[in-house]
Amino acid sequence: MKETVLMKGNEAIAEAAILAGCRHYFGYPITPQTEVAAYMAKKMPKIGGTFLQAESEIAAINMVYGAASTGKPAMTSSSSPGIALKCEGISYLAGADLPALIVNVQRGGPGLGGIQPSQADYFLVTRGPGHGDFHVLVFAPASVQEMADLTGRALHLAWKYRMPAMLLADGTMGQMMEPVQLPEPHNAFGTDNPWATTGTELKRPHNIINSLELSPEKLEQNNFSRYERYRQVEENETLWEEYLMDDARICIVACGITARISRNAIAEARKEGIKVGMIRPITLWPFPKAPLARAAEQVDSLLCVEMNMGQMKEDVVLAIRCQKPVDLCARVGGMIPTPDEVLAHIRTLAKGGNA
Amino acid sequence: MKYKRMTLFAGHYGSGKTNIALNYALWLRRQGLAVTVADLDIVNPYFRTKDGADILARQGIGLIASPFANSNVDLPALPGEVYALVEDRSIHGVIDVGGDDRGALALGRYVPALREENDYDMLFVVNKARPLTRRVDDALEVFREIESACALPFTGIVNNTNLGPATTAELVIDSVAYAEEIGERTGLPVKMTCAMESLIPQLQNKVSDLFPISVMQLYYMEKEGTSIGKINL
């Protein structure tokens, strides 16, 4: 480990990607993620990498497609409206089985919405951000340290499974500053990419990177084998954190910034003798269904704390197969729930009511 | 510590300008002066001078900030009142300049008036724990970029080396040589070294020109006693 530095979440993403070996960044500015691009613009030229401000988000994602086709680690970053624009390109990446890192520092929506933080892209990114049958790996960091750590992991797994990965933060996580220990420079990618278009040197058949398949039988097979890979990802790569769950009668489910707020509320509720814990999904796809199903057998109720209108709550209800009531504490449009608001929900649930 | 009528804090983004500006304004106020803070940051979407509005109001310190700060309007506009601060010589002003050369660009329009009056401190804030300015050479590059963006030469260095709540006395002591080298190579004095109030007893006889600061930024910590929306003074 190197020494500790003080960084914004957005900077930590950029530096962690560079340390993992990523040398190709294509982006387009949008608040609140612009520091990722600004950092890359400063640093990439000094280390022989590529920083390119594209003419649009769509151009940037297609440049990622081009770079990834040659087996080079490539990434882009944006915020909610920009991610919506990139969805076509993400679908093409998935259809061509290309690895890439896409960073989404969410802001309020829908539409142009606002520039304040949000978690309202949950549906968009966990269901497959684009047309067709596919998934992307989705990581939800809850500290600047995790912004760095999960960036490296996302790049590594994208290459391991040849699929796009997304780092899903919100504006607060992107803008806040915390001490962070960065890893030593390492290679998060395999050096051997037999599928990449690197020149045949007349020694092998052409590699073709394409999402078009003329035979429906073959296209079906491609989808089947892709979903076999997704099954392996679900089996091996699901991440979550359990916090004070041993004796919990109420289980909070929250990710990212709302998980941090919930920890403050849990500390207060515990002082009042309320047995409340938390399961924090760290990967949103794959979603930690099994630990939630286990928790549902133990607790009386669950409470989702989200900066959206309850999008993750649907996954929680599915994961626990409606065994227990699931309540929602939500703020939207750039507003952030306070620990007191979460505490009020916890108290109501502890009394056996619906919050 | 000597002070001028106008004090401007500029530097690499994330070096701590906003927090120092707020603390410095409170310090000036304690000297019995009429003080107004102006937020010139046109870069940062969150964590603005406006977050300290209540504290400033309680102490009778004026605040000039964009009406759009902390809202959904992503507009790099500055309020007209900033001219009043620059031109009304009965008030002591503290200006929180935006980060890097991009942030300092907005200062340019006030520079002719500041130069004409010639009663200002233009301070370069450095934090050795910030990854893009860890080396003196990199800090000096930012220094030159800011000067050429706003056309106002710096007059001093402010050492604000910190790791937020993880800051230790050793880190601050270790940073003094770094700040002094920046001072030597620019020919400017290190006006002060900032440190959290809790660290001052450990630094008292080891670091000169200490400036104690309270952390006033909002942040989202899990520790007890800190929570969202709460400003720790």
Side-chain angles (χ1 to χ4, degrees):
Chain A
M1 281 298 217
K2 296 205 299 191
E3 44 197 336
T4 309
V5 289
L6 186 69
M7 296 185 101
K8 277 195 178 197
N10 285 339
E11 297 175 313
I13 293 169
E15 184 61 37
I18 289 169
L19 290 170
C22 183
R23 290 293 180 276
H24 299 277
Y25 173 92
F26 308 96
Y28 188 80
I30 180 171
T31 306
Q33 66 78 50
T34 301
E35 292 84 4
V36 181
Y39 196 95
M40 291 299 195
K42 266 223 141 89
K43 195 115 191 219
M44 281 299 196
K46 291 180 180 168
I47 55 172
T50 302
F51 163 83
L52 204 153
Q53 181 172 328
E55 66 268 37
S56 70
E57 286 88 347
I58 298 169
I61 192 74
N62 288 317
M63 289 173 185
V64 169
Y65 183 106
S69 299
T70 68
K72 300 290 184 202
M75 68 178 285
T76 184
S77 63
S78 192
S79 178
S80 308
I83 296 295
L85 284 168
K86 289 183 194 289
C87 283
E88 181 194 61
I90 298 172
S91 171
Y92 277 61
L93 283 162
D97 295 312
L98 285 173
L101 174 64
I102 300 127
V103 175
N104 181 4
V105 184
Q106 299 166 90
R107 56 187 254 182
L112 204 47
I115 62 169
Q116 298 297 323
S118 165
Q119 296 178 327
D121 296 352
Y122 184 92
F123 279 162
L124 177 76
V125 303
T126 57
R127 266 61 189 167
H131 59 283
D133 275 314
F134 75 98
H135 282 292
V136 301
L137 287 149
V138 184
F139 296 87
S143 68
V144 176
Q145 184 66 54
E146 279 191 359
M147 298 282 256
D149 296 345
L150 293 177
T151 294
R153 189 175 179 86
L155 280 162
H156 171 68
L157 294 182
W159 255 256
K160 181 174 175 186
Y161 293 101
R162 281 183 66 185
M163 63 187 289
M166 179 173 289
L167 195 86
L168 186 72
D170 70 87
T172 319
M173 295 298 316
Q175 294 295 326
M176 69 191 287
M177 291 181 79
E178 283 187 318
V180 54
Q181 274 197 326
L182 294 164
E184 292 292 337
H186 59 285
N187 181 0
F189 321 98
T191 42
D192 182 30
N193 298 314
W195 47 267
T197 52
T198 51
T200 65
E201 295 176 10
L202 303 176
K203 287 174 188 160
R204 60 163 172 81
H206 289 285
N207 283 340
I208 296 168
I209 305 287
N210 193 7
S211 63
L212 175 68
E213 178 50 62
L214 297 179
S215 147
E217 289 83 1
K218 184 79 196 330
L219 184 56
E220 183 184 49
Q221 279 311 314
N222 290 350
N223 275 281
F224 284 162
S225 64
R226 201 167 292 127
Y227 268 70
E228 171 52 26
R229 246 184 305 145
Y230 293 160
R231 196 191 55 74
Q232 290 170 24
V233 173
E234 290 195 86
E235 205 173 289
N236 301 319
E237 311 299 349
T238 309
L239 292 176
W240 72 93
E241 181 199 21
E242 297 192 16
Y243 179 65
L244 301 181
M245 280 302 293
D246 283 351
D247 62 346
R249 305 298 301 171
I250 299 168
C251 173
I252 289 183
V253 190
C255 65
I257 190 68
T258 49
R260 299 181 65 138
I261 296 159
S262 298
R263 284 173 83 108
N264 286 326
I266 289 169
E268 290 303 313
R270 287 259 167 191
K271 281 185 204 159
E272 296 174 15
I274 303 172
K275 289 176 176 166
V276 52
M278 176 165 62
I279 292 183
R280 172 168 76 93
I282 299 173
T283 52
L284 302 185
W285 191 90
F287 193 69
K289 294 176 198 164
L292 280 165
R294 281 196 298 275
E297 289 174 11
Q298 169 193 328
V299 301
D300 301 320
S301 56
L302 296 92
L303 172 64
C304 290
V305 184
E306 306 186 50
M307 277 150 57
N308 62 56
M309 292 304 288
Q311 298 182 23
M312 185 176 67
K313 184 185 162 189
E314 293 199 3
D315 275 346
V316 174
V317 171
L318 275 172
I320 68 166
R321 296 174 186 270
C322 304
Q323 283 184 75
K324 294 286 163 63
V326 184
D327 254 307
L328 173 68
C329 173
R331 295 299 301 270
V332 296
M335 299 304 292
I336 303 172
T338 63
D340 285 346
E341 285 173 281
V342 180
L343 183 60
H345 276 78
I346 294 171
R347 283 186 188 133
T348 310
L349 287 174
K351 285 179 198 147
N354 280 336
Chain B
M1 190 162 55
K2 285 182 188 165
Y3 51 83
K4 297 286 176 70
R5 186 180 82 77
M6 298 293 293
T7 308
L8 302 95
F9 294 97
H12 179 43
Y13 75 89
S15 57
K17 298 174 294 297
T18 298
N19 208 11
I20 295 172
L22 291 173
N23 279 278
Y24 193 79
L26 289 166
W27 179 81
L28 284 175
R29 186 77 185 102
R30 286 197 294 271
Q31 318 302 310
L33 302 168
V35 183
T36 289
V37 180
D39 175 10
L40 239 59
D41 191 343
I42 53 163
V43 180
N44 246 1
Y46 314 159
F47 306 118
R48 306 277 300 250
T49 321
K50 222 174 187 175
D51 295 335
D54 292 347
I55 298 163
L56 295 178
R58 277 201 301 274
Q59 301 300 325
I61 297 171
L63 172 63
I64 301 168
S66 165
F68 307 122
N70 290 346
S71 80
N72 272 334
V73 184
D74 203 0
L75 196 64
L78 293 169
E81 289 91 330
V82 181
Y83 278 112
L85 175 62
V86 172
E87 286 168 13
D88 180 352
R89 297 186 180 182
S90 68
I91 307 172
H92 281 72
V94 176
I95 295 189
D96 178 16
V97 182
D100 286 344
D101 48 342
R102 291 182 300 271
L105 205 57
L107 178 61
R109 67 164 86 166
Y110 309 105
V111 166
L114 290 168
R115 277 176 178 273
E116 194 205 323
E117 184 192 8
N118 197 24
D119 190 8
Y120 65 86
D121 256 334
M122 169 74 169
L123 301 173
F124 182 57
V125 181
V126 292
N127 178 355
K128 195 191 173 191
R130 291 283 292 142
L132 289 185
T133 54
R134 280 184 84 64
R135 297 184 320 123
V136 169
D137 282 343
D138 293 331
L140 292 175
E141 190 181 320
V142 176
F143 180 102
R144 284 187 290 268
E145 284 168 355
I146 292 173
E147 279 195 339
S148 56
C150 66
L152 190 66
F154 282 109
T155 60
I157 312 295
V158 171
N159 180 16
N160 185 45
T161 298
N162 77 89
L163 281 171
T167 312
T168 60
E170 291 71 39
L171 182 88
V172 178
I173 293 166
D174 172 66
S175 70
V176 169
Y178 162 86
E180 278 171 356
E181 191 183 337
I182 293 171
E184 275 162 29
R185 290 180 56 185
T186 55
L188 298 177
V190 178
K191 186 179 167 71
M192 59 200 199
T193 292
C194 305
M196 287 187 292
E197 274 163 348
S198 56
L199 291 176
I200 296 295
Q202 290 167 264
L203 297 169
Q204 204 81 64
N205 299 317
K206 294 171 182 160
V207 179
S208 52
D209 301 311
L210 271 176
F211 186 72
I213 57 168
S214 313
V215 177
M216 282 193 258
Q217 292 284 46
L218 298 164
Y219 49 96
Y220 302 82
M221 304 290 294
E222 288 88 351
K223 281 181 194 158
E224 285 182 25
T226 59
S227 56
I228 276 177
K230 201 166 173 181
I231 293 169
N232 294 319
L233 250 183

